[in-house]
């Protein structure tokens, strides 16, 4: 059923593009109520407006904390037009009908992100606005609610095309958006308080949803919820796919762990190439050399600005995505020569490694702290007679990071800060090691003097022995097996150095 908008209450924080709506309402002869800064804004447009204080006969009090919380306001919004009892009471108490409510909320999220103190944050918890939104949305049969500046344009179009009238479907859609706004707002407030109290409750709200070409496979629907524009600037190429996003996340998180110029090449979230060098061009050459076959169609992440020399080296390879903190202009021109190649500039100052990870499974959601530990030399405990050399320690630090980012069971073989062999996702650690050795040899690497890192302890000494036979001279592993001593004895017998880190890095 169509209903004519005859009156409107407008009270907003953001006023950009509101002028067009106000002028259209005035053109349609709609009576406007407002308060505070919004009232002044409307008056500045030369449009007649009635102060809410004149309607309620009550001033704004408590420093503006209480302005619209009054029966004459909420009665006008919630009063059912087809309910005799409601209409009788509204007439008795001289409550005017309010057909349209335009209200947004104080910028709570922005205030928190800006790092303001608690007093400022608390004052940005909206009370009147959220109440108006819920009231108008509840009574969508009679009232239109516009709860975000993003809906000013749709409202304006509606007013113009339907001459100030709305259908039930229009009102119900605006109501659904309003409850989306209010639930998101309340979730953000809860998360702020729960940083202190840690209630075991899972709440997550993202308003920005982008439909992807498809999910993990073409027959699956995929949507990304979040605002990539906060951390990315896409400089070239087609839209990111579901699988692209998963691999970009894995690659950026990996290279973020390194301070030296480092390149990672990722396939299916696992690194097939990883190297650190004195400059990014040499790092790319070394990373590509790790596995020149698997690098095809991969995702590349670097932690330094890309220059022309590096771009020329990369350009001969087919890869899906490249992420870097910046690009020289001539380098970017080379990389853009492939129109579908996705080139991303990462806003390093805004990208933050997530502190929590979660996945849905069974009939619930599993949440854990992100694996933020990457053990360094001061956490290494030498458990063998022979201690690792300075070079081996440096490579072990590299290997520990590399294996942490591989799916379990994972093994990383490293030499001169280059991942010369790796394997992951195996049900047997022995299989993972043997496959890593095979891959290293397949690509011409000499394992003599290399180091090995394992994501978990060795239940038996077999991996230690196999590694020694291949040329591995130093090993890093968490330790913690009841048979640790067997592996230590094997390392001593074969003249290897072994350190334990005390931290396991399972990844599933």
């Amino acid at each position: 059923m169509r209903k004519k908008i005859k009156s409107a209450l407008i009270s907003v924080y953001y006023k950009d593009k509101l002028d067009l709506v106000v002028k259209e309402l005035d053109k349609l002869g709609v009576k406007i109520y407002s308060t505070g800064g919004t009232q002044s804004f409307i008056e500045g447009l030369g449009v007649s407006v009635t102060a809410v204080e004149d309607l309620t006969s009550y001033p704004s009090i408590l420093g503006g904390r209480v302005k619209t919380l009054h029966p004459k306001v909420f009665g006008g919004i919630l009063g059912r037009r087809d309910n005799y009892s409601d209409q009788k009471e509204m007439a008795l108490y001289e409550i005017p009908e309010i057909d349209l409510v335009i209200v947004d909320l104080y910028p709570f999220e922005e205030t928190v992100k800006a790092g303001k103190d608690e007093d400022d944050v608390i004052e940005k918890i909206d009370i009147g606005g959220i109440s108006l939104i819920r009231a108008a949305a509840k009574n969508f049969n009679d009232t239109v609610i516009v709860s975000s500046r993003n809906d000013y344009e749709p409202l304006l179009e509606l007013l113009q095309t339907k001459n100030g009238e709305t259908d039930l479907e229009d009102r119900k859609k605006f109501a659904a958006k309003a409850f989306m706004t209010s639930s998101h707002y309340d979730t953000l407030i809860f998360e702020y308080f729960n940083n202190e109290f840690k209630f075991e409750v899972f709440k997550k709200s993202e308003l920005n949803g982008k439909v992807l070409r498809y999910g993990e496979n073409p027959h699956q629907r995929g949507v990304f919820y979040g605002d990539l524009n906060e951390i990315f600037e896409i400089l070239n190429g087609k839209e990111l796919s579901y699988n692209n996003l998963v691999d970009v996340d894995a690659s950026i998180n990996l290279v973020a762990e390194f301070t030296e110029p480092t390149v990672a090449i990722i396939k299916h979230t696992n690194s097939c190439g990883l190297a650190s060098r004195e400059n990014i061009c040499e790092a790319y050459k070394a990373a590509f050399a790790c596995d020149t076959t698997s690098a095809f169609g991969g995702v590349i992440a670097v932690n330094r600005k890309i220059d022309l020399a590096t771009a020329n080296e990369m350009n001969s390879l087919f890869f899906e995505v490249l992420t870097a903190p910046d690009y020289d202009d001539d380098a970017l021109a080379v990389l853009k020569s492939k129109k579908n190649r996705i080139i991303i500039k990462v806003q390093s100052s805004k990208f933050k490694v997530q502190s929590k990870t979660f996945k849905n499974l069974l009939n619930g959601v599993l949440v854990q702290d992100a694996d933020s530990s990457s053990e360094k030399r001061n956490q290494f405990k030498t458990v063998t007679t022979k201690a690792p050399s300075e070079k081996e320690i440096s490579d072990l630090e590299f290997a520990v990071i590399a294996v942490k980012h591989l799916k379990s069971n994972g093994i990383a073989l490293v030499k001169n800060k280059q991942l010369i062999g790796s394997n992951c996702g195996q049900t047997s650690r022995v299989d993972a090691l043997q496959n890593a050795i095979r891959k290293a040899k397949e690509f011409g690497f000499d394992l003599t003097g290399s180091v090995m890192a394992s994501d978990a302890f060795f239940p038996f000494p077999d991996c230690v022995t196999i590694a020694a036979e291949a040329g591995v001279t130093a090993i890093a592993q968490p330790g913690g097996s009841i048979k640790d001593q067997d592996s230590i004895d094997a390392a001593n017998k074969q003249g290897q150095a072994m350190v334990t880190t005390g931290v396991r890095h399972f990844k599933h």
Side-chain angles (χ1 to χ4, degrees), residues 169-186:
E169 183 180 352
D170 300 325
R171 298 190 295 273
K172 196 169 186 178
K173 185 176 181 179
F174 276 117
K177 288 184 176 182
F179 284 121
M180 175 179 68
T181 298
S182 64
S183 64
H184 177 70
Y185 196 74
D186 284 339

Side-chain angles (χ1 to χ4, degrees), residues 62-136:
L62 306 182
R65 280 188 163 198
V66 180
K67 290 183 286 190
T68 56
L69 295 168
H70 193 280
K72 280 203 171 183
V73 174
F74 281 85
I77 294 169
L78 286 163
R80 291 163 288 188
R81 313 304 193 251
D82 59 355
N83 183 288
Y84 174 76
S85 178
D86 284 6
Q87 290 299 302
K88 185 178 179 180
E89 289 186 11
M90 289 174 73
L92 176 64
Y93 297 110
E94 299 180 334
I95 299 174
E97 294 177 350
I98 297 176
D99 306 312
L100 168 65
V101 176
I102 304 176
V103 60
D104 60 11
L105 300 171
Y106 291 158
F108 178 84
E109 183 176 14
E110 293 86 342
T111 305
V112 172
K113 284 183 176 179
K116 300 293 185 180
D117 63 31
E118 186 166 282
D119 286 346
D120 286 332
V121 170
I122 297 305
E123 284 307 309
K124 290 300 184 288
I125 297 177
D126 206 310
I127 303 300
I130 204 80
S131 302
L132 291 168
I133 287 172
R134 291 178 65 84

